[in-house]
Amino acid sequence: FYGGGLACHVRIATASGAAQAYVDGVLDALFASYYTPLVGLSRGTVDYGPLASQYGTIDDHAEYKQMLTSVTSGSAPAVQLFVVGDFAGDVDNALGIAGGIPGSPMVHGTRRSGVAFTPTGNVNYDASVLAHESGHLGGLFHTTEVQVTAFDPLADTPQCPNPGNPNNCPDKSNVMFPIAYGGNVLTPLQAL
């Protein structure tokens, strides 16, 4: 990303209930608490636009991928950020989803081009969700998986044998912990 600045193209669904000012606050918190101190990126240009009303609620992965391919405008490299009202169906209970591990911030309009989240009303919490999902977009895996016994491939990330009890996990403060726990730490290898 040019000059240490990260540009963002934000598309907001009316059903999200989020105003541009709220998303600006989330982005300010994202850069202040995560991107700048952890990886040295500053906030670049941000442009806003509407998101088609059909994407107010994302019902499944197929619809999510369709949304990612629907927006091809904006310069690259930049993060395409989609603000939606809710996730349902096979993506129910998600707070955010990345286009892939890694995704595609260099080319827009692909099934891997972007990150989506549903606002909670808590700027700092939403910033932690975006930091996590953007980590996936950048190629990072969960430090520990919940459904299966698996861990990320990096040698310096702690692992948790029982992620169902986050308070006992040595990786609970990591941005890539699998449960939305507000982690704000990256290991040196994650930050590369």
Side-chain angles (χ1 to χ4, degrees):
F1 292 93
Y2 57 93
L6 179 62
C8 299
H9 304 301
V10 182
R11 302 297 174 253
I12 303 174
T14 303
S16 72
Q20 180 177 327
Y22 179 82
V23 178
D24 269 336
V26 171
L27 291 174
D28 286 343
L30 176 66
F31 282 90
S33 298
Y34 299 94
Y35 285 165
T36 302
L38 297 178
V39 294
L41 289 173
S42 61
R43 181 174 166 171
T45 59
V46 179
D47 68 67
Y48 287 89
L51 182 60
S53 62
Q54 73 192 63
Y55 301 119
T57 296
I58 303 299
D59 291 313
D60 54 36
H61 278 94
E63 185 176 24
Y64 175 68
K65 297 297 184 179
Q66 180 184 29
M67 179 184 69
L68 294 179
T69 63
S70 73
V71 177
T72 58
S73 62
S75 60
V79 172
Q80 295 274 64
L81 177 59
F82 299 88
V83 185
V84 302
D86 197 14
F87 295 103
D90 70 355
V91 290
D92 193 27
N93 295 323
L95 297 172
I97 304 174
I101 305 173
S104 178
M106 302 301 284
V107 179
H108 299 157
T110 76
R111 295 169 52 92
R112 302 176 73 79
S113 299
V115 172
F117 84 105
T118 182
T120 65
N122 181 324
V123 167
N124 293 318
Y125 187 73
D126 290 349
S128 75
V129 169
L130 283 181
H132 177 93
E133 296 306 331
S134 297
H136 285 316
L137 195 70
L140 297 177
F141 292 91
H142 290 151
T143 52
T144 300
E145 288 297 338
V146 176
Q147 302 292 333
V148 297
T149 302
F151 308 101
D152 82 351
L154 300 175
D156 67 346
T157 54
Q159 301 172 350
C160 184
N162 182 10
N165 185 359
N167 289 323
N168 293 330
C169 292
D171 53 341
K172 74 179 179 184
S173 62
N174 193 285
V175 170
M176 298 311 297
F177 189 68
I179 301 167
Y181 215 64
N184 61 357
V185 172
L186 287 176
T187 67
L189 288 176
Q190 286 177 313
L192 284 179

